[in-house]
Amino acid sequence: MSVQKRNGQNKARVLIVDDEFLVARGAAMVLSQAGYDCETCPNVEAALKLLENQGADVIIADMRMPGMDGMDLLKKVHTKDPDMAVVMSVPLPAAESAKAALRGGAFDCVTKPFDDDELNAVVTRAVEMSALQRENRKLREQLDVASIAAGFVAEAPKSRQLVAMIRRVAPSRTTALIEGETGTGKELVARMLHYWSNRADGPFLAINCKALADGVVESELFGHEKGSFTGAIRDRAGCFERASGGTLFLDEVGEAGPDFQAKLLRVLEDGEVLRVGGSKPRKVDVRIVTATNRKLRSEVAAGRFRADLYFRLSVIPLRIAPLRDRREDILPLAHHFLAFHSTEAGRPLILSPEAEEALLAHRWPGNVRELENVIERAVVMSGQETLMPEAFAFDDDASDEDLIQVAGIARAAGIDSAVGANMAAEPATESNRTQPAESLEAGTLQESLDRAATTRIKAALASASGNRVDAAAALGVDRTTLYRLMKRLSL
């Protein structure tokens, strides 16, 4: 949660954790008078639950409490949010306790009983430091996106067209719909739209619609008023309000239910949100970018997605081609991921020509995400400075297309796919003369087809003196398909 300004309703939020009720209430009264929004918790367990649901900007924790104490809270909080400012309240004499707290990562310490001026001064510094740290993190994220965008791999014509389209439409406030298979990089495209827009200084908020439980969708996206339901102990802004002035990215929008679709349509039409339990709509200035791995036109035709919402979302449609359809990007991406992960591992690695050929031959059903995973795994597992094909752990399951190609080659070799007959039409060669005819009849149909395809491929390679391009042409398949089949058949 980002640090908020202390004006109007945007107050920095301070969580006071102390098992002494009067101490916690007194600190809350002092800080509330100074303009802070304060909450108190009697123990660490309650504080962690509140932080999970509502967040905070600064935490004041009692160093000594029954059960888990302030130091335990400090460790747990910093595990999730290293930038969170935790102020430790320590008893007198404070020297040793303060040293231990500061060594543990506390922002500062205050002594009990509290001095009002000291408490205000420490909290003010903590709020300012937290704001600075989070702003620095935001700038680092923007620089990361900028560097990615500047070096975006776009060697394939379809990728170049996509980047040109992103640059052209980024300055607009118009909604954009990003369509593409899982792992193609839809969120990166959304971030590039944000970075190249005049909203780059505003927030970028990414929400996965599929990950939101039905009972919290409305509250999470549109916010709620205090008391609107059990557990709503304070007003809470939803994603649309928190992203105001920037970009809200709704991933997996095709998974949204009918109720959410209707409410999203209303936001797009009116530019307003109504919090749960609220009576007054709130204006929001946010650009909506959505993404899906489904074909929303088909969802509309099937009655699962509103047609009016679809047309609102798809004013600017951006289609990311799967990696198999932009093969010119495979090796540049592979070299990019290899450079990154080998640097992380502290040892330089390169791809052999055979490894590059293996990468080009793979179908990449998981797209760019799968490619990075394969490269990262190879970097970790390989003990060689030059990666060979065997370093890559591809999915060993044969694709439907591979099975079709095997059947086709087997039929060309004289095998009837319906009965697995012997290879009568295959000219006698040294490679098939030594194979017993009865072996082709043993095992399952697929095993028979595989054996026949193996023999046919070996014969084609022998006729072509090992030239895979010529062998692929003789077999009626392309070179990458031949390489993939050879790998699967262990040739």
Side-chain angles (χ1 to χ4, degrees):
M1 175 179 177
S2 61
V3 176
Q4 300 171 317
K5 297 178 181 179
R6 285 187 292 159
N7 55 14
Q9 294 184 348
N10 294 326
K11 301 178 181 179
R13 190 155 185 269
V14 180
L15 174 60
I16 303 164
V17 187
D18 200 308
D19 61 317
E20 297 182 66
F21 172 74
L22 294 179
V23 172
R25 188 178 69 172
M29 290 177 62
V30 170
L31 294 173
S32 295
Q33 291 172 358
Y36 295 102
D37 179 13
C38 297
E39 294 279 355
T40 63
C41 285
N43 53 57
V44 171
E45 291 83 355
L48 291 172
K49 185 175 181 180
L50 189 144
L51 287 168
E52 184 70 27
N53 294 329
Q54 301 175 33
D57 298 319
V58 175
I59 301 172
I60 302 174
D62 187 4
M63 189 170 184
R64 297 178 181 176
M65 290 185 287
M68 287 195 292
D69 58 20
M71 294 299 290
D72 295 321
L73 177 62
L74 175 66
K75 293 175 184 176
K76 290 182 177 295
V77 167
H78 278 183
T79 299
K80 291 188 175 181
D81 185 0
D83 293 337
M84 175 66 73
V86 180
V87 175
M88 201 67 67
S89 61
V90 296
L92 291 172
E96 292 303 318
S97 297
K99 288 179 181 178
L102 293 174
R103 283 198 301 267
F107 171 78
D108 205 342
C109 296
V110 290
T111 56
K112 295 173 66 175
F114 298 130
D115 176 84
D116 294 356
D117 292 337
E118 179 192 16
L119 183 63
N120 269 319
V122 170
V123 170
T124 297
R125 291 200 307 272
V127 168
E128 291 173 349
M129 180 60 71
S130 291
L132 181 61
Q133 288 175 330
R134 285 179 168 84
E135 184 65 24
N136 286 340
R137 185 167 59 183
K138 177 183 174 183
L139 290 173
R140 287 196 300 270
E141 289 173 353
Q142 289 181 347
L143 287 173
D144 289 342
V145 175
S147 61
I148 292 172
F152 187 79
V153 174
E155 296 297 326
K158 290 182 179 180
S159 299
R160 293 180 182 275
Q161 292 169 8
L162 176 63
V163 173
M165 175 68 80
I166 294 171
R167 284 192 176 276
R168 187 159 61 249
V169 304
S172 169
R173 288 190 54 187
T174 307
T175 57
L177 173 64
I178 306 168
E179 293 183 297
E181 295 179 3
T182 299
T184 49
K186 295 186 287 295
E187 183 170 340
L188 175 59
V189 170
R191 288 184 178 275
M192 291 170 67
L193 281 169
H194 176 73
Y195 170 75
W196 282 332
S197 74
N198 55 9
R199 295 172 170 265
D201 291 334
F204 176 90
L205 194 58
I207 299 294
N208 189 315
C209 298
K210 189 176 182 179
L212 296 176
D214 292 339
V216 302
V217 170
E218 193 171 353
S219 172
E220 181 66 28
L221 293 174
F222 306 112
H224 62 254
E225 299 288 339
K226 181 178 179 180
S228 57
F229 55 84
T230 303
I233 61 175
R234 63 188 294 270
D235 292 349
R236 185 173 188 272
C239 294
F240 284 93
E241 290 183 71
R242 299 204 301 271
S244 191
T247 302
L248 177 61
F249 174 54
L250 299 176
D251 199 5
E252 304 289 1
V253 72
E255 306 291 336
D259 290 342
F260 171 57
Q261 291 181 34
K263 291 180 172 65
L264 177 57
L265 179 63
R266 180 176 177 180
V267 175
L268 292 172
E269 290 178 339
D270 302 337
E272 297 178 339
V273 296
L274 182 64
R275 290 183 177 180
V276 176
S279 58
K280 183 180 178 181
R282 298 167 181 262
K283 284 285 185 183
V284 289
D285 172 26
V286 60
R287 183 184 193 179
I288 306 296
V289 176
T290 56
T292 179
N293 57 10
R294 298 187 179 189
K295 292 185 178 180
L296 283 193
R297 279 188 176 275
S298 300
E299 296 297 299
V300 170
R304 292 187 291 267
F305 202 85
R306 295 180 61 124
D308 47 2
L309 178 59
Y310 169 74
F311 290 117
R312 280 279 186 178
L313 295 177
S314 61
V315 176
I316 299 174
L318 297 170
R319 175 71 186 174
I320 308 178
L323 190 55
R324 62 182 173 274
D325 291 344
R326 44 190 179 100
R327 308 195 73 82
E328 297 91 339
D329 290 343
I330 292 176
L331 291 183
L333 281 168
H335 286 290
H336 168 76
F337 293 138
L338 181 62
F340 176 80
H341 290 294
S342 61
T343 300
E344 288 282 298
R347 54 195 184 99
L349 297 170
I350 60 173
L351 295 171
S352 68
E354 295 84 359
E356 291 182 341
E357 191 172 357
L359 294 173
L360 288 171
H362 189 58
R363 293 284 295 171
W364 301 112
N367 293 292
V368 178
R369 186 178 299 149
E370 181 190 1
L371 174 58
E372 181 173 12
N373 289 345
V374 166
I375 295 295
E376 182 178 6
R377 189 185 303 119
V379 169
V380 173
M381 301 301 294
S382 176
Q384 306 297 322
E385 293 184 358
T386 300
L387 296 183
M388 301 299 290
E390 51 269 23
F392 302 136
F394 296 125
D395 185 355
D396 290 332
D397 294 334
S399 67
D400 291 343
E401 181 177 331
D402 287 345
L403 298 180
I404 292 171
Q405 296 286 2
V406 166
I409 293 172
R411 282 195 296 273
I415 294 295
D416 186 328
S417 62
V419 297
N422 285 340
M423 198 173 58
E426 172 63 27
T429 65
E430 187 63 30
S431 60
N432 66 26
R433 185 180 293 115
T434 59
Q435 183 175 1
E438 62 269 22
S439 69
L440 295 174
E441 299 176 354
T444 65
L445 171 62
Q446 188 57 56
E447 289 170 346
S448 296
L449 295 175
D450 284 351
R451 285 192 291 270
T454 297
T455 302
R456 182 72 183 91
I457 290 172
K458 286 181 177 179
L461 287 169
S463 298
S465 300
N467 187 306
R468 294 176 181 178
V469 175
D470 293 342
L475 292 168
V477 298
D478 60 47
R479 178 176 59 86
T480 58
T481 299
L482 174 60
Y483 190 92
R484 188 169 64 252
L485 291 176
M486 290 175 63
K487 184 178 185 301
R488 197 178 71 77
L489 297 171
S490 300
L491 296 179

